[in-house]
Amino acid sequence: MRKIKLIVFIGIIGLLVIGGAWMYSAHKENQVANMIEKQLKDRMNREFHVTNVEEISNGGGEYYYITVEMGGVKKPFKKEMFKSAADNLPRYAIIDELWTRQYEKEVQKIVKEHPLNIKRIESNVGIVHDQDPNVDIQNLPTIEEIRKQYGKKVIYDQITLYTNYPYPTDPELQEKEDEKIFNLLKDMKDRDMDNNLSLSIQYTKYTQRYEILINDYQKDKYHSPEDMKKARLKTQEEVIESNEEVQS
């Protein structure tokens, strides 16, 4: 009988410990959520709700993975941040996610105007750290408005395009690809997207990849379709070998 009572007592203690740990965790998550919500409300003058907070630890450090709902925006934002930054969020936290969504639509619209047969687009945009003009984000300016008001120097553009076809082995067809990419790049230049630009075009099965970098260190060297050869990462021999592997 005493043994049964002892087992029951130990079980109750265990439940109390588990329950206490759960309550502490829930309380801590609520504190983190409230802290983040307050910062975002103060910066952007609208309602925010942090609906989920997860703690993550890995070799790179300790993080919070949060889900944020923003007033006036249907789709929630998911973001990872260092635990140490939760009480002092980066200035453009969350609005940079909104800018990236806007930018994705802008890039998709541009790419559709060019005959590259793209199956997937990855794009990212933001404020260059050492060019930060301390943007007032109270009224949620769009990335297009930021570019127009502060100029292209304050923005970085990162775009990767994945084609729906392998890179041709015929030199004449390769020149046509050079021309397509040059026209796309020219379009981006005309839209002031070329000051801190990383533009990559990867062909199916990595049969070729163009890497175009334009910034303060890597000046613009692409002034004609012929110049696009400078952006090719694979030699003609490697292109032929890659295509043979695709066909085998």
Side-chain angles (χ1 to χ4, degrees):
M1 189 68 179
R2 288 182 180 178
K3 188 175 181 181
I4 293 173
K5 289 181 178 179
L6 180 61
I7 292 171
V8 171
F9 177 74
I10 292 172
I12 292 171
I13 293 298
L15 289 172
L16 289 173
V17 169
I18 293 171
W22 179 85
M23 289 178 65
Y24 172 76
S25 177
H27 175 68
K28 185 177 178 183
E29 287 179 10
N30 191 50
Q31 282 186 316
V32 172
N34 289 337
M35 180 169 56
I36 292 172
E37 286 173 0
K38 184 178 186 309
Q39 292 177 76
L40 295 175
K41 288 176 183 178
D42 290 345
R43 291 180 189 182
M44 287 178 259
N45 192 31
R46 64 181 54 217
E47 285 297 311
F48 284 90
H49 296 286
V50 177
T51 59
N52 187 57
V53 178
E54 294 180 33
E55 294 189 41
I56 302 171
S57 297
N58 56 36
E62 296 188 333
Y63 303 85
Y64 288 125
Y65 186 70
I66 65 171
T67 302
V68 181
E69 292 179 351
M70 176 178 173
V73 179
K74 290 182 179 180
K75 186 179 176 183
F77 300 90
K78 295 183 183 296
K79 193 168 186 68
E80 190 177 276
M81 63 180 64
F82 282 111
K83 283 187 179 181
S84 57
D87 62 346
N88 187 21
L89 294 180
R91 177 171 180 76
Y92 304 112
I94 300 304
I95 196 172
D96 57 2
E97 302 291 328
L98 182 61
W99 285 340
T100 294
R101 290 183 187 180
Q102 295 166 348
Y103 188 67
E104 287 172 353
K105 293 179 181 178
E106 183 182 15
V107 171
Q108 287 171 1
K109 184 178 178 181
I110 294 170
V111 172
K112 282 182 179 179
E113 296 174 0
H114 296 267
L116 279 165
N117 293 329
I118 300 301
K119 69 176 180 180
R120 190 167 96 248
I121 300 173
E122 294 176 359
S123 57
N124 188 33
V125 70
I127 302 292
V128 179
H129 179 71
D130 60 2
Q131 297 286 339
D132 186 355
N134 199 26
V135 177
D136 181 1
I137 56 177
Q138 278 275 323
N139 296 318
L140 299 185
T142 65
I143 196 64
E144 292 90 345
E145 290 170 340
I146 300 296
R147 190 185 292 122
K148 185 176 181 180
Q149 182 174 353
Y150 299 98
K152 62 184 181 181
K153 283 192 174 182
V154 307
I155 293 176
Y156 66 80
D157 298 84
Q158 296 177 339
I159 303 166
T160 303
L161 309 178
Y162 297 87
T163 74
N164 206 24
Y165 57 98
Y167 192 68
T169 56
D170 186 320
E172 289 187 8
L173 293 178
Q174 291 174 358
E175 289 178 4
K176 288 184 178 180
E177 294 300 308
D178 290 340
E179 186 174 358
K180 292 177 189 177
I181 294 170
F182 177 76
N183 289 336
L184 174 63
L185 177 60
K186 184 177 182 302
D187 195 353
M188 291 179 174
K189 289 179 181 180
D190 291 342
R191 298 169 189 258
D192 286 337
M193 297 167 68
D194 62 319
N195 194 75
N196 298 284
L197 174 65
S198 171
L199 173 62
S200 303
I201 299 92
Q202 182 163 314
Y203 289 76
T204 295
K205 301 294 184 180
Y206 196 56
T207 44
Q208 181 60 285
R209 185 178 176 98
Y210 286 72
E211 285 285 0
I212 299 160
L213 293 174
I214 302 175
N215 51 44
D216 288 342
Y217 307 100
Q218 186 118 339
K219 301 299 182 182
D220 185 5
K221 56 186 178 182
Y222 309 105
H223 308 292
S224 71
E226 179 74 16
D227 291 332
M228 301 316 303
K229 291 179 181 178
K230 302 172 185 176
R232 298 178 188 172
L233 295 190
K234 286 195 171 188
T235 64
Q236 176 68 354
E237 290 76 15
E238 290 171 329
V239 169
I240 292 171
E241 183 179 347
S242 296
N243 272 273
E244 288 175 348
E245 289 175 0
V246 170
Q247 295 168 8
S248 62

